[in-house]
Amino acid sequence: MKNKSLVSIEDYGKNNILKILELAEYFEKNPNQKILDGKVIASLFFEPSTRTRLSFESAVNKLGGSIIGFTDAGSSSVSKGESLKDTIKTVSNYSDLIVMRHPLEGSAKYASEVSDVPIINAGDGANQHPTQTLLDLYSIKKTQGKLEDLNIFLVGDLKYGRTVHSLLMAMSNFNPVFNFISHPKLRIPAEHKLFLDNLGIKYYEHTEFTDIISKADIIYMTRVQRERFSDPMEYEKTKNAYVLNNAMLENTKENLRILHPLPRVNEISEDVDTNTKAYYFTQALNGVFTRQAIIASTLGLI
Ligand code: CP
């Protein structure tokens, strides 16, 4: 993986995914390793972020590196009309690695083609969020003791949810059964179903999940993302379709854990936060160790 961009989770095969998880475990036990001494990581966020940006920053700091970048493209020369290509070419002169979030699908791939340093995709529109997926896998492995043969429920915005799209691809290496629960307007796209069909992976689609929740090992809740809708009425119709609350968890499996990439709006009631099955804040913490692993691996420092 040295010097290789991470644009899509498909860029890492099963073995590389497992290596990253192993490395993340090492960083969880040994967080302060000054292996990035003299290295500069650029963090270019053309879209808002709390967890991804700050956990990357935390990871770089723990590894002893420096971080440069912007959190708002409006404060960069993009606001004067500079192209993504010129921005990336310029920033790759100043850094050893670029972490980029951008609203356009395919922007990370394009950036990787014009950059002189590796690009880490921190989310490109509704397409992919591979570093989120690696921390999701780390969280699943940690809570379930394995990745294989799990019953994964994906709930909410399955159409535009980039975390869902990346997770589905990565988990497909581990013989899952998927249950997709969404409003009919936010169903999982046909191309992802075709991907699963070709691999012979079982999946079921539902519009309700109260009756089937007792079978889940992982419930992966997602936010209906207002920013992805061109029609505000469509957002209003779908935004509160699924709200998980504590009472719904009564007859669920002991090993069940609730994951969410966050931010949450209404889709998980706050009464779930104190349930031992709620894992989403620890999941966000796991982002630091996983991103330490991704940076170290991409720069060939381990
Ligand atoms: N999970 C995630 O991408 O969160 P942020 O948008 O806060 O980075």
Side-chain angles (χ1 to χ4, degrees):
M1 288 169 283
K2 188 177 174 191
N3 291 328
K4 192 172 184 299
S5 291
L6 173 56
V7 169
S8 162
I9 194 66
E10 283 187 300
D11 295 337
Y12 283 13
K14 182 176 177 179
N15 286 342
N16 286 335
I17 288 174
L18 293 174
K19 275 186 202 156
I20 292 288
L21 302 192
E22 205 177 302
L23 203 46
E25 201 178 335
Y26 168 78
F27 282 119
E28 181 167 5
K29 289 181 188 140
N30 308 278
N32 296 310
Q33 304 284 320
K34 303 301 177 197
I35 56 175
L36 280 188
D37 186 32
K39 301 283 183 198
V40 176
I41 309 301
S43 160
L44 308 185
F45 278 71
F46 296 81
E47 252 192 358
S49 166
T50 297
R51 278 145 292 272
T52 310
R53 185 175 68 79
L54 293 178
S55 62
F56 262 116
E57 287 194 13
S58 178
V60 171
N61 282 314
K62 282 175 191 286
L63 295 177
S66 309
I67 194 145
I68 59 170
F70 53 77
T71 58
D72 170 14
S75 68
S76 76
S77 287
V78 170
S79 64
K80 301 175 199 160
E82 187 166 41
S83 67
L84 180 60
K85 177 182 175 185
D86 289 2
T87 303
I88 294 294
K89 288 291 273 178
T90 304
V91 177
S92 66
N93 286 333
Y94 306 148
S95 59
D96 299 286
L97 176 99
I98 297 174
V99 176
M100 185 183 86
R101 170 171 289 186
H102 197 284
L104 285 183
E105 291 175 36
S107 52
K109 181 163 173 40
Y110 177 71
S112 73
E113 286 164 3
V114 298
S115 178
D116 298 321
V117 298
I119 298 284
I120 303 293
N121 181 5
D124 62 329
N127 185 34
Q128 283 266 323
H129 196 347
T131 68
Q132 175 72 43
T133 295
L134 289 163
L135 80 88
D136 292 343
L137 263 62
Y138 187 69
S139 302
I140 293 170
K141 186 156 185 273
K142 224 170 131 180
T143 60
Q144 305 298 312
K146 62 175 188 175
L147 289 168
E148 291 79 12
D149 309 320
L150 295 170
N151 199 341
I152 312 276
F153 281 43
L154 295 161
V155 186
D157 180 359
L158 309 187
K159 181 178 177 183
Y160 301 113
R162 58 192 174 199
T163 61
V164 166
H165 302 158
S166 298
L167 183 61
L168 178 150
M169 282 182 172
M171 280 307 294
S172 296
N173 288 300
F174 303 102
N175 192 39
V177 174
F178 288 115
N179 281 276
F180 299 131
I181 297 105
S182 70
H183 187 283
K185 289 196 178 295
L186 294 177
R187 282 211 172 111
I188 195 92
E191 79 227 44
H192 294 292
K193 290 195 268 185
L194 186 62
F195 173 83
L196 298 176
D197 288 338
N198 288 338
L199 293 173
I201 290 171
K202 284 192 196 133
Y203 62 88
Y204 305 94
E205 291 188 278
H206 315 270
T207 50
E208 290 294 333
F209 78 133
T210 316
D211 293 345
I212 50 169
I213 200 169
S214 61
K215 295 182 184 150
D217 296 309
I218 293 290
I219 298 179
Y220 193 91
M221 297 296 295
T222 61
R223 174 177 66 98
V224 176
Q225 305 166 90
R226 187 178 51 208
E227 64 272 29
R228 306 274 176 243
F229 287 79
S230 50
D231 177 357
M233 285 310 292
E234 196 162 304
Y235 170 69
E236 289 301 321
K237 272 189 234 156
T238 55
K239 68 177 184 184
N240 288 327
Y242 304 99
V243 180
L244 186 69
N245 62 46
N246 231 348
M248 292 165 74
L249 298 173
E250 253 169 38
N251 295 316
T252 52
K253 289 169 82 169
E254 207 46 51
N255 65 303
L256 168 70
R257 290 296 176 273
I258 318 296
L259 270 59
H260 191 314
L262 304 177
R264 122 181 97 177
V265 184
N266 292 321
E267 57 282 357
I268 302 181
S269 300
E270 287 196 12
D271 68 358
V272 178
D273 295 357
T274 50
N275 191 307
T276 52
K277 293 175 181 174
Y279 193 74
Y280 28 91
F281 291 116
T282 310
Q283 179 187 359
L285 167 65
N286 291 339
V288 177
F289 320 128
T290 312
R291 287 172 173 131
Q292 284 181 289
I294 294 165
I295 294 167
S297 167
T298 305
L299 292 177
L301 299 172
I302 291 287

